[in-house]
Amino acid sequence: MVALTATASLGCSAKLMRTLGMFGLLGMLLVRTVEGHEHHTDDIPKGEAISAEPLDSILWTHICIQILSFGIIFPTGMILGIIRSPWHVPVQVVGTLLAVVGWFLGHAHKGRQFAPNIHASFAWSLMLMLTAQVLIGIYLKLHLTKGLHSTVRKYVVTAHGILGKTLPVVSWVQMLFGGITALGFCRGDHLGQCLAHFIMGSAFIGYGIILTILLIVGQVWLKRTGRSQEFFDSIVIAAWGCVNTFTEHQWGTAWVHNDIQHTSMGVVWWCAGLVGIWLSRKRGGRPKRNLLPGMVIFLTGWAMSAHPQHLPLSAMVHTSFGYTLMLAGLVRIIEISFVLRDKNTLSEDGTEANSFQYLTPLLLCASGFLFMGATEEQIRLLSDAGVTHVSYVLILFSFAFLLFLFVNMLLHLYATHAMPEIVKADAEASRINGTANGHVRAPSESRLIRDAEEFELEGLMSDEESLEPPGAKRTQHIH
């Protein structure tokens, strides 16, 4: 028996080494192919970042394929992996193949030429993450659970989960780099304000996505922490305010342009954040809702709506951004005060949401796109093209709607395979068995938490490690 086990282990190890060797050889070929491609820059005017030629069909195909793979397929595959769907591997394989094809197309285009840029440099980091994720996935798919593998496997599963959840964020950054590079923006004197717009805009979008996650599937986790949502919001607001206070102005130099307004906004943020942290707990230590984060969002929107600008179009876009942010803050205040009445959720188990609660995250996403689209170079390009602020704002809102739709689709995919099945099973059991007063019992909180953890942690466990379906009742055997 020992000999057979050793032979099987050696066979699996040899199979793994052959697979890794094949991918290593493929990686070396890819590197040599890319290194052999020359990025011509002879047509780029002096002092410019791009040439005057338009984007050719190959580069447009590269853009579409990479948005499809990194922006849609990989996030979908991530959710499929969390819920342990058999479609996880096929979807990720398709995404990987498309990403490799798109990568080659990005090095085979003609037309517009580009100076050395952040998009090309950062692409190596993204592809390295993807390669590591693929190799880890192959290792897990081999189901090596004997000997040393039984110890290593749990750490590999954790690393696979972390990389999978990090990849969409890194992909978002790379897609922004791609848009900036394609237009030759964010260089020289424009770099500072460009960074501020894209970082702050992405932060608003990220905040909106996090609020959506907490609204739809995160209330059980939030209740388990023993903290209100405003506690975490206020911590982030205070930390961000401290950063803005000391980075928006180069201390020791003269105050120029909008330095005073940016710095004072940072001061308001950390001051309000501290108040929000203090008000997030009752006297007995229990969590309590408060309105400070909503007030901070409203004040920030008011300040940005009156932000002085050089171009009329820029002023109108910033005003639209400010009004949208003010509306997000106002809606948040109304939600906590009148819809939830200081409660965390409308239902005991946290699975139901009022339609009004979706407005705040949607408006935050729209605010993020409006702010990212209000850089000096973008506004100058649109102004020269005769584009009005109404058309531009509507287009940016359209992007926000599409992103918000995609986020809700992914969360629905997760939620329908997690807690709703548990709620349905408990409600059915109560209907059959009955209760003392004739009412249906709500599912127990401990069971909801346990099953949610199973879906999060067991997404990549092998068949030998988990033979029972998620949510199945476990029994202890006494030997």
Side-chain angles (χ1 to χ4, degrees):
M1 181 63 69
V2 174
L4 289 175
T5 302
T7 303
S9 179
L10 288 173
C12 291
S13 298
K15 182 180 179 181
L16 175 62
M17 293 304 296
R18 287 196 299 271
T19 304
L20 294 178
M22 179 183 67
F23 273 88
L25 180 61
L26 179 61
M28 292 176 62
L29 292 175
L30 291 176
V31 171
R32 287 183 176 274
T33 302
V34 174
E35 287 179 345
H37 170 74
E38 295 183 5
H39 291 275
H40 299 285
T41 59
D42 47 314
D43 290 338
I44 300 177
K46 186 177 181 180
E48 299 293 331
I50 59 175
S51 62
E53 292 84 5
L55 302 178
D56 67 345
S57 59
I58 295 178
L59 195 54
W60 277 114
T61 305
H62 159 78
I63 294 171
C64 294
I65 287 178
Q66 298 301 65
I67 290 176
L68 176 63
S69 58
F70 286 99
I72 298 177
I73 294 179
F74 285 140
T76 304
M78 175 191 70
I79 299 298
L80 293 174
I82 293 175
I83 65 176
R84 303 173 62 190
S85 170
W87 287 98
H88 168 66
V89 174
V91 168
Q92 297 299 70
V93 168
V94 171
T96 301
L97 293 176
L98 286 175
V100 172
V101 172
W103 193 52
F104 274 111
L105 292 176
H107 291 82
H109 68 88
K110 305 298 182 182
R112 182 171 298 178
Q113 297 178 2
F114 304 93
N117 56 80
I118 185 63
H119 181 67
S121 303
F122 195 70
W124 287 100
S125 301
L126 183 61
M127 295 305 293
L128 182 62
M129 286 184 61
L130 179 59
T131 303
Q133 187 73 335
V134 170
L135 294 178
I136 292 175
I138 293 172
Y139 170 79
L140 294 175
K141 208 57 186 163
L142 293 175
H143 299 302
L144 303 176
T145 58
K146 302 294 190 296
L148 180 62
H149 297 294
S150 63
T151 304
V152 173
R153 185 178 177 83
K154 60 182 179 180
Y155 298 106
V156 176
V157 169
T158 301
H160 193 59
I162 293 173
L163 277 176
K165 294 176 180 66
T166 305
L167 191 62
V169 179
V170 179
S171 300
W172 169 264
V173 175
Q174 176 66 348
M175 285 187 280
L176 291 182
F177 286 159
I180 291 170
T181 300
L183 297 172
F185 289 165
C186 302
R187 289 174 176 265
D189 296 336
H190 298 288
L191 179 60
Q193 64 90 31
C194 200
L195 286 174
H197 276 257
F198 280 100
I199 292 174
M200 197 70 173
S202 297
F204 283 126
I205 293 174
Y207 187 21
I209 292 175
I210 291 173
L211 288 183
T212 309
I213 294 173
L214 291 174
L215 175 64
I216 299 176
V217 298
Q219 290 301 320
V220 174
W221 172 85
L222 193 62
K223 193 170 185 179
R224 185 179 58 189
T225 63
R227 304 281 188 177
S228 68
Q229 185 170 324
E230 284 70 37
F231 172 80
F232 299 102
D233 293 351
S234 298
I235 286 179
V236 175
I237 288 172
W240 198 286
C242 290
V243 173
N244 275 17
T245 299
F246 298 103
T247 59
E248 290 295 336
H249 170 70
Q250 188 175 354
W251 295 93
T253 62
W255 292 81
V256 296
H257 200 41
N258 293 318
D259 284 3
I260 297 179
Q261 184 170 335
H262 292 159
T263 304
S264 61
M265 195 179 301
V267 173
V268 168
W269 277 37
W270 66 258
C271 291
L274 293 177
V275 178
I277 294 172
W278 180 263
L279 295 180
S280 63
R281 296 182 74 84
K282 298 180 181 179
R283 292 181 182 177
R286 290 176 298 170
K288 178 178 174 58
R289 307 299 298 268
N290 68 75
L291 306 178
L292 265 297
M295 291 182 62
V296 171
I297 295 173
F298 185 89
L299 284 174
T300 304
W302 169 75
M304 296 306 299
S305 66
H307 209 41
Q309 303 296 323
H310 297 297
L311 295 174
L313 179 60
S314 181
M316 296 304 297
V317 173
H318 275 80
T319 300
S320 301
F321 160 67
Y323 288 167
T324 304
L325 203 57
M326 289 172 66
L327 185 58
L330 180 61
V331 167
R332 184 68 171 169
I333 292 172
I334 295 173
E335 173 194 336
I336 296 173
S337 301
F338 302 105
V339 177
L340 297 177
R341 296 182 180 275
D342 277 3
K343 296 179 181 179
N344 289 324
T345 59
L346 292 173
S347 59
E348 187 67 26
D349 56 13
T351 58
E352 295 182 11
N354 188 287
S355 58
F356 192 83
Q357 293 180 268
Y358 288 92
L359 285 178
T360 299
L362 173 59
L363 291 170
L364 285 171
C365 290
S367 300
F369 277 105
L370 286 170
F371 199 52
M372 287 194 299
T375 63
E376 295 173 349
E377 292 167 298
Q378 292 180 80
I379 295 299
R380 173 64 68 182
L381 180 66
L382 293 169
S383 182
D384 293 342
V387 177
T388 65
H389 74 281
V390 174
S391 302
Y392 188 47
V393 168
L394 291 177
I395 291 173
L396 294 177
F397 259 88
S398 300
F399 290 150
F401 284 130
L402 290 176
L403 177 63
F404 192 66
L405 170 64
F406 183 56
V407 170
N408 276 272
M409 291 171 65
L410 293 182
L411 293 175
H412 176 77
L413 177 62
Y414 171 82
T416 52
H417 288 79
M419 290 196 232
E421 288 300 319
I422 303 165
V423 174
K424 180 180 178 181
D426 282 352
E428 183 69 18
S430 298
R431 185 184 65 81
I432 295 173
N433 298 328
T435 58
N437 57 7
H439 294 288
V440 176
R441 289 189 300 266
S444 66
E445 179 186 336
S446 60
R447 183 174 180 185
L448 288 172
I449 293 174
R450 185 187 70 238
D451 288 320
E453 289 174 341
E454 286 177 357
F455 273 92
E456 285 290 343
L457 300 177
E458 296 182 3
L460 291 168
M461 295 179 72
S462 66
D463 295 334
E464 293 97 345
E465 292 170 292
S466 179
L467 297 177
E468 295 178 331
K473 185 177 180 180
R474 288 174 169 79
T475 59
Q476 289 186 338
H477 299 282
I478 301 175
H479 299 283

